[in-house]
């Protein structure tokens, strides 16, 4: 065994750390080790073993946590690629890839020190009754700690605080006075939960009806006892079966038990149209070739992409190999999960954000063991430890939720492509509105383009009618949230008992509070963002940091009573529609009404079951669900983004309009869309209205080419932030001068400039935008920038490098 190892630790430093391996230890590359780092214990990933003695003194590895690698060589390679490409610390990347936090228990213990004994002794000399009468509360607390510790060895923080009734700050103060010592004793723990499981044995003798029900339920093998208790059978029945030896109950590691109710892989038959068949055939053919292929599945809304994904995954499963399907968060409802279990049985692992750390770890182990070879999940599922990966599918590949907006700032779609490449697997990116980047790659034949140009069963795409809001204003003399045309169309649908969706991509009641006397608005105290009025909850809210304030009666700046609540959010839209259509049953779908996946599904079910006539909502209603009764979609406000200083604004607007229009007419009755806009002539609006994807992409690509924006160049956003304005200015100035002095041929640097949102979550923000035709040059420049920033003592966490930034705000 080599003497040393390099360990990647989850700290914001771009380096690995060397530790000595104590005799007898057998750590492995790709496995976790416990080490001490600056007074704390951390679990890191061992990246290499060697015999080069470092110049500085090294500490020993405390404990080896894995006998086998938890990250196999291919995932280690992927992690290294992410660290290099996104300029992220390797240890933080690997932590993100490995959801095993539940297996590590943070723990601190304390011991009494020499000075502590002495203090206690001196106090004892002066009499204990005396000390309790004269000392203030904090001092008393300190003595309680010393008393407790003097009779014991090391004591865990929780026990000590409970026994001595002290706060953490008291303990910290005592450590500083050297009365006690603090030690990090964090360690690995066995996180495995167990559950009681019933197993069916030989059935002998007669069974009554209740016993028969249980035995039938158990016919599939093991079923958790809890599930049996959920059946309409007296609990004593199970006990009887156990006594008769028909059923045995054992403790087993808790697994995902959703599929325990005998979900069998069902032979699902979709009637595929020729385009679907062709797409499926080409995916299967590529998978069988065991070579890397990138494919873009561009299918109009309602063209049956999901059916193609599932059929392709099923054939991968039948071949005994593995597949990963990535979906945007909101798409993973319990109903979708149930469908997946129906199709793939116990072979599917579903990873969504509502899982606890422990459940996440359990799923990870199921996948690692090979028990689940079909993985469906959100962003981080791209790291699922499957073996023999054959296919990775990214549904709604343009969705911005695939970009992680904290370190490591990776894009799961791009990581999926790289992972497939490293595994000689096939990656399929699917969308009705592909990102410019992916479409460009398909145009340049880097990806194979698969098209589903028609809706299933030859249903037509909806007709789109544009209502010019400026003209509406001129004709009616006032700002109409709901135009006369839209109101009429809604009425027609309601009369015919058809359903309507109305999109307004902004939540809350009023997005702006303005003082008519001094002209100032009410802003968040942490951000340079106007607070939104939420009428139902009687408060003002910041949608960026969550800050909450009371609803103002007077201007906070000048005291004037003339404060006006301006603009309309989804909450107000719902109220307005109630006013116009008092008989209609109206539901609302936005982040205020939807707390989790269940709420989302409940609202959609209500619409599907015909319990609602009208559904109002933000872009949440635009996501790929399939409600057949909706024949009209109204777009009240979706073009506000066109006014943002962001080069992706047109693309986003086009995508949102196309997606929401796609909700109309998915059943037998053709659909219609009323699109109200202030930007009637804008090409994003025009092309969305005519369902002209190719037209939009050609035009937008020309614009990107002129402006040297992606996909024609690599782009990075470098953000410098500090909660002190002086610091933010000074640091961005230092880096700005460095850019001026440094040769950076082939890379354009814009800035420093105040970020569009100059203050966010208490931080002042300045940024640089870097564009380059050469990703290598861009990357090298960023790398030396980070080195320089460290030399200048700018904290690494305050300089954010966002490669392929999705938002420049
Ligand atoms: Zn005022
Ligand atoms: Zn805020």
């Amino acid at each position: 065994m080599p003497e040393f190892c390099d360990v990647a630790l989850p700290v914001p430093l771009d380096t690995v750390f060397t530790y000595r391996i104590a005799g007898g230890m057998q750590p492995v590359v790709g496995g976790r080790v416990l080490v001490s780092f600056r007074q704390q214990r951390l679990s890191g990933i061992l990246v290499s073993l060697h015999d080069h003695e470092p110049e500085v003194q090294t500490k020993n590895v405390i404990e080896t946590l894995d006998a086998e690698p938890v990250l196999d060589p291919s995932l280690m390679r992927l992690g290294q690629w992410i660290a290099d490409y996104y300029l992220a610390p390797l240890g933080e990347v690997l932590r993100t890839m490995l959801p095993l936090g539940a297996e590590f228990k943070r723990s601190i213990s304390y011991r009494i020190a020499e000075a502590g004994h002495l203090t206690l002794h001196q106090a004892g000399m002066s009499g204990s009754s005396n000390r309790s009468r004269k000392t203030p509360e904090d001092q008393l607390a300190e003595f309680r700690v010393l008393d407790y510790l003097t009779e014991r060895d090391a004591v865990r923080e929780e026990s000590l605080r409970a026994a001595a009734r002290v706060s953490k700050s008291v303990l910290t103060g005592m450590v500083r006075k050297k009365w006690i010592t603090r030690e990090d004793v964090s360690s690995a723990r066995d996180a495995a939960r167990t559950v009681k499981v019933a197993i069916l044995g030989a059935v002998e003798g007669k069974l009554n009806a209740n016993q028969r029900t249980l035995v039938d339920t158990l016919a599939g093998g093991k079923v958790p006892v809890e599930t049996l208790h959920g059946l309409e059978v007296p609990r004593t029945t199970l006990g009887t079966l156990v006594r008769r030896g028909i059923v045995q109950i054992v403790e087993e590691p808790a697994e995902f038990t959703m599929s325990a109710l005998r979900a069998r892989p069902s032979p699902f038959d979709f009637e595929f149209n020729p385009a679907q068949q062709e797409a499926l055939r080409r995916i299967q053919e590529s998978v069988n070739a065991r070579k890397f292929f990138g494919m873009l599945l561009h299918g109009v809304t309602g063209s049956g992409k999901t059916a193609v994904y599932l059929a392709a995954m099923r054939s991968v499963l039948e071949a005994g190999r593995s597949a990963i399907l990535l979906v945007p968060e909101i798409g993973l409802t319990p109903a979708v999960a149930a469908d997946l279990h129906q199709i793939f049985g116990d072979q599917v692992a579903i990873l969504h954000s509502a899982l606890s750390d422990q459940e996440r770890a359990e799923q990870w182990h199921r996948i690692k063991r090979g028990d689940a070879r079909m993985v469906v999940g959100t962003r981080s599922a791209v790291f699922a430890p499957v073996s023999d990966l054959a296919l990775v599918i990214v549904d709604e590949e343009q969705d911005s939720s695939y970009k992680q907006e904290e370190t490591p700032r990776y894009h799961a779609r791009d990581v999926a492509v790289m992972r497939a490449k490293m595994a000689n697997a096939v990656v399929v990116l699917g969308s009705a509105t592909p990102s410019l980047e992916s479409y460009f790659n398909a145009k340049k034949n880097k990806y194979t383009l698969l098209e589903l140009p028609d809706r299933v069963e030859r249903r037509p795409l909806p007709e789109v009618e544009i209502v010019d809001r400026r003209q509406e204003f001129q004709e009616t003399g006032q700002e109409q949230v709901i135009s006369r045309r839209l109101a009429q169309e809604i009425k027609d649908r309601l009369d015919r008992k058809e359903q309507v969706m109305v999109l307004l991509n902004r939540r809350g009641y009023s997005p702006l509070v303005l003082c008519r006397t001094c002209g100032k608005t009410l802003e968040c105290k942490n951000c340079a963002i106007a607070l939104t009025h939420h009428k139902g909850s009687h408060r003002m809210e910041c949608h960026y940091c969550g800050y909450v304030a009371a609803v103002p009666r007077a201007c906070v700046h000048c005291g004037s009573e003339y404060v006006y609540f301006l603009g309309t959010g989804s909450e107000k839209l719902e109220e307005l529609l109630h006013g116009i259509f008092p008989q209609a049953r109206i539901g609302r779908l936005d982040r205020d009404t939807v707390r989790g996946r269940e709420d989302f599904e409940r609202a959609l079910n209500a619409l599907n079951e015909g319990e609602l006539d009208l559904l109002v909502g933000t872009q949440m209603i635009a996501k790929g669900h399939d409600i057949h009764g909706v024949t009209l979609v109204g777009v009240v406000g979706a073009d506000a983004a066109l006014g943002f200083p962001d080069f992706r604004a047109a693309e986003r607007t086009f995508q949102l309009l196309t997606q929401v229009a796609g909700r109309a007419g998915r059943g037998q009755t053709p659909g219609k869309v009323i699109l109200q806009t202030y930007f009637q002539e804008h090409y994003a609006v025009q092309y969305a209205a005519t369902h002209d994807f190719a037209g939009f992409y050609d035009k937008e690509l020309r614009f990107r080419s002129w402006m040297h924006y992606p996909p024609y160049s690599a782009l990075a956003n470098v953000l410098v932030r500090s909660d002190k304005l002086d610091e933010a200015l000074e640091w961005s100035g230092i880096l700005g001068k460095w850019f001026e002095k440094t040769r950076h041929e082939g890379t354009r640097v814009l800035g420093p400039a105040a970020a569009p949102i100059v203050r966010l979550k208490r931080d002042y923000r300045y940024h640089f935008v870097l564009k380059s035709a050469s990703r290598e040059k861009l990357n090298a420049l960023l790398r030396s920038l980070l080195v320089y920033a460290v030399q200048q003592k700018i904290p690494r966490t305050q300089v954010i490098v966002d490669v392929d930034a999705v938002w420049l705000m």
Side-chain angles (χ1 to χ4, degrees):
M1 177 57 60
E3 210 178 332
F4 299 98
C5 59
D6 288 345
V7 180
L9 291 173
V11 293
L13 295 167
D14 298 284
T15 180
V16 294
F17 302 88
T18 304
Y19 288 87
R20 188 185 294 272
I21 300 167
M25 258 186 203
Q26 302 277 338
V28 289
V29 171
R32 289 166 300 169
V33 290
L34 191 65
V35 296
S36 70
F37 179 80
R38 294 183 185 167
Q39 273 91 53
Q40 51 175 336
R41 286 184 168 196
L42 294 176
S43 148
I45 298 287
L46 196 153
V47 295
S48 67
L49 293 162
H50 59 82
D51 284 310
H52 320 299
E53 173 138 27
E55 285 167 15
V56 289
Q57 216 197 336
T58 51
K59 293 181 208 160
N60 282 356
V61 169
I62 297 168
E63 194 183 344
T64 302
L65 303 184
D66 301 300
E68 299 288 325
V70 283
L71 290 170
D72 65 21
S74 68
L75 284 173
M76 288 292 279
R77 257 201 346 268
L78 187 68
Q80 187 63 57
W81 177 82
I82 292 170
D84 292 342
Y85 186 96
Y86 294 101
L87 292 103
L90 180 61
E92 297 198 315
V93 173
L94 299 182
R95 174 179 53 186
T96 301
M97 295 174 70
L98 206 57
L100 298 181
E103 299 182 355
F104 183 68
K105 187 168 164 42
R106 289 230 70 85
S107 180
I108 304 293
S109 73
Y110 294 90
R111 288 169 200 269
I112 188 162
E114 220 25 66
H117 281 301
L118 201 63
T119 308
L120 203 55
H121 181 69
Q122 284 164 351
M125 299 286 283
S126 57
S128 60
S129 56
N130 198 8
R131 123 188 157 202
S132 59
R133 233 182 298 126
K134 284 185 179 166
T135 42
E137 173 50 30
D138 262 10
Q139 235 168 318
L140 275 178
E142 289 179 346
F143 281 114
R144 284 200 300 272
V145 171
L146 293 176
D147 275 337
Y148 193 77
L149 285 178
T150 191
E151 288 159 17
R152 291 168 181 82
D153 195 23
V155 178
R156 293 281 163 101
E157 184 170 290
E158 311 83 72
S159 323
L160 179 59
R161 283 184 54 189
R165 305 187 308 281
V166 293
S167 68
K168 196 167 173 182
S169 63
V170 169
L171 296 177
T172 311
M174 293 176 74
V175 171
R176 218 177 293 128
K177 286 192 274 192
K178 298 202 163 54
W179 288 5
I180 58 174
T181 57
R182 177 183 186 278
E183 196 186 349
D184 187 334
V185 291
S186 302
S187 62
R189 70 164 160 206
D190 190 4
R193 282 186 300 143
T194 58
V195 289
K196 287 202 170 92
V197 175
I199 302 173
L200 187 62
V203 182
E204 281 165 9
K206 279 195 176 160
L207 300 176
N208 66 29
N210 285 332
Q211 292 165 346
R212 171 58 58 195
T213 306
L214 284 191
V215 166
D216 284 351
T217 307
L218 282 166
K222 298 179 208 170
V223 171
V225 169
E226 203 184 333
T227 309
L228 297 179
H229 287 335
L231 298 172
E232 303 234 333
V233 170
R235 291 200 172 196
T236 50
T237 309
L238 182 61
T240 309
L241 289 174
V242 171
R243 271 197 306 282
R244 285 175 58 185
I246 296 173
V247 172
Q248 196 194 349
I249 292 180
V250 295
E251 289 260 339
E252 292 217 337
E255 299 284 63
F256 211 48
T257 49
M258 239 181 124
S259 62
L261 269 179
R262 287 196 295 155
R264 283 273 167 268
S266 72
F268 79 123
D269 283 315
F270 289 104
E271 297 255 324
F272 277 13
N273 64 32
Q276 284 174 304
Q277 280 169 16
E278 174 65 6
L280 177 61
R281 188 188 65 75
R282 293 185 61 184
I283 295 170
Q284 286 170 333
E285 200 176 85
S286 306
V287 166
N288 292 338
R290 290 185 178 254
K291 278 202 305 201
F292 169 72
F293 283 100
M295 306 181 122
L296 177 63
L297 180 63
H298 175 212
V300 299
T301 53
S303 61
K305 291 184 288 291
T306 307
V308 174
Y309 303 151
L310 296 178
M313 288 173 76
R314 197 179 52 173
S315 57
V316 166
L317 182 61
E318 280 162 4
R321 304 179 68 197
S322 301
I324 299 173
L325 169 61
L326 300 184
V327 291
E329 175 65 40
I330 204 73
L332 260 188
T333 61
V336 170
D339 283 353
L340 289 165
H341 280 286
Q342 200 63 45
I343 296 166
F344 299 119
D346 287 336
Q347 298 272 10
V348 69
I350 299 174
L351 308 173
H352 55 78
S353 65
L355 295 181
S356 68
D357 285 353
Q358 213 165 46
E359 289 168 327
R360 200 169 290 280
E362 285 163 14
Q363 289 298 310
W364 187 92
H365 284 293
R366 278 185 71 216
I367 299 165
K368 179 80 175 159
R369 282 197 305 268
D371 291 350
R373 284 183 292 124
M374 298 287 108
V375 178
V376 181
T378 49
R379 189 168 62 219
S380 62
V382 72
F383 303 121
V386 294
S387 57
D388 197 8
L389 179 65
L391 176 64
V392 189
I393 300 168
V394 186
D395 186 26
E396 303 290 343
E397 63 90 27
Q398 84 292 345
D399 198 283
S400 57
S401 71
Y402 287 126
K403 178 71 158 59
Q404 173 146 304
E405 295 294 350
E406 60 191 62
T407 309
R409 293 169 180 264
Y410 70 94
H411 198 303
R413 174 196 62 216
D414 300 335
V415 172
V417 173
M418 189 45 65
R419 182 157 187 202
K421 210 174 248 179
M422 288 176 169
N424 282 325
V426 172
V427 64
V428 176
L429 311 180
S431 179
T433 52
S435 62
L436 263 283
E437 284 86 348
S438 297
Y439 197 74
F440 185 68
N441 281 332
K443 284 281 179 198
K444 288 179 63 182
N445 293 323
K446 268 179 83 180
Y447 297 157
T448 308
L449 183 61
L450 307 172
E451 304 245 29
L452 301 179
D454 301 312
R455 284 190 158 184
V456 291
E457 297 174 11
R458 305 193 154 273
R459 287 176 194 141
L461 283 166
E463 175 205 341
V464 181
E465 183 181 331
I466 295 179
V467 173
D468 182 350
R469 297 188 69 176
R470 283 167 304 186
Q471 194 184 338
E472 183 78 6
F473 178 75
Q474 279 162 12
E475 287 174 19
T476 61
Q478 48 181 313
E479 198 72 43
Q480 299 290 352
V481 176
I482 299 156
S483 64
R484 294 161 298 170
R485 188 85 188 96
L486 178 57
Q488 183 58 47
E489 292 278 346
I490 294 175
K491 183 175 180 306
D492 290 351
R493 294 309 181 293
L494 295 178
D495 289 348
R496 296 208 299 261
K497 304 270 176 259
E498 293 171 11
Q499 292 172 309
V500 180
M501 276 188 182
V502 183
L503 171 85
L504 173 57
N505 201 18
R506 182 191 278 154
R507 67 191 174 95
Y509 195 83
S510 293
L512 196 67
V513 176
L514 181 77
C515 170
R516 285 276 152 94
T517 306
C518 71
K520 286 185 180 155
T521 60
L522 181 60
E523 278 196 354
C524 173
K525 79 177 172 70
N526 306 321
C527 314
I529 292 289
L531 291 176
T532 298
H533 178 214
H534 287 252
K535 193 177 177 188
S537 52
H538 304 288
R539 60 195 208 174
M540 306 298 298
E541 240 180 64
C542 173
H543 289 177
Y544 286 79
C545 75
Y547 172 73
V548 169
V551 179
R553 285 158 192 256
C555 172
V556 294
H557 307 287
C558 72
S560 158
E561 284 169 24
Y562 296 98
V563 285
Y564 286 77
F565 293 77
L566 300 176
T568 305
S570 50
E571 189 185 358
K572 187 168 168 187
L573 178 64
E574 183 190 5
E575 193 180 280
L576 287 170
L577 286 165
H578 268 302
I580 305 173
F581 307 106
Q583 309 300 327
R585 296 162 301 169
I586 303 178
R588 173 156 62 94
L589 205 58
D590 58 31
R591 270 208 286 143
D592 298 314
T593 62
V594 174
R595 297 275 165 219
R597 305 178 308 139
E598 282 78 10
D599 293 340
F600 181 69
E601 184 160 304
R602 206 169 299 129
L604 290 180
N605 276 344
L607 193 65
N608 211 10
E609 302 291 320
E611 291 158 18
L612 291 175
D613 303 309
L614 229 159
L615 185 67
V616 173
T618 55
Q619 59 177 334
M620 254 183 208
I621 66 169
K623 302 289 173 173
H625 40 260
D626 203 11
I627 307 237
H628 285 200
V630 175
T631 56
L632 176 71
V633 168
V635 180
V636 165
D639 54 8
L642 289 173
F644 288 170
D646 188 327
F647 74 94
R648 291 188 210 270
E651 181 183 3
R652 283 204 190 97
T653 303
F654 175 80
Q655 286 166 346
L656 177 59
L657 292 177
T658 304
Q659 294 281 353
V660 72
R663 299 313 114 211
R666 295 172 80 98
Q668 297 304 326
T669 318
K672 175 155 187 179
V673 179
I674 299 285
L675 204 172
Q676 301 183 170
T677 179
Y678 283 113
F679 298 88
Q680 195 185 184
E681 297 84 20
H682 196 289
Y683 61 96
V685 173
Q686 287 293 333
Y687 285 120
T690 50
H691 307 290
D692 185 356
F693 310 98
F696 173 76
Y697 286 115
D698 285 348
K699 174 115 184 167
E700 182 68 7
L701 279 174
R702 252 177 290 153
F703 161 73
R704 299 281 180 96
S705 160
W706 291 332
M707 300 297 291
H708 301 282
Y709 275 126
Y712 292 95
S713 72
L715 176 141
N717 192 26
V718 176
L719 191 82
V720 181
R721 65 175 179 190
S722 169
D723 56 1
K724 298 183 194 71
L725 177 60
D726 294 350
E727 248 173 20
L729 280 170
E730 187 195 332
W731 293 339
S732 54
I734 291 172
L735 299 184
K737 287 209 187 69
W738 182 83
F739 276 124
E740 275 172 28
K741 284 191 314 225
T742 310
R743 281 169 59 85
H744 47 79
E745 252 168 67
T747 302
R748 290 161 190 244
V749 179
L750 310 172
I757 299 175
V758 66
R759 193 154 176 261
L760 186 66
K761 298 179 185 172
R762 291 169 184 243
D763 280 332
Y764 293 91
R765 310 157 82 241
Y766 288 82
H767 75 152
F768 301 86
V769 175
L770 279 65
K771 295 191 277 189
S772 178
S774 154
R775 192 167 281 285
E776 288 68 36
K777 282 183 183 163
L778 176 71
N779 209 294
L781 183 65
L782 290 168
R783 206 165 292 283
S784 33
L785 173 78
L786 284 178
V787 170
Y788 183 72
V790 169
Q791 286 167 4
Q792 295 299 308
K793 304 261 184 295
I794 305 175
R796 175 67 164 95
T797 48
Q798 306 309 100
V799 181
I800 295 166
V801 173
D802 192 357
V803 175
D804 299 342
V806 164
W807 300 99
L808 296 179
M809 306 297 273

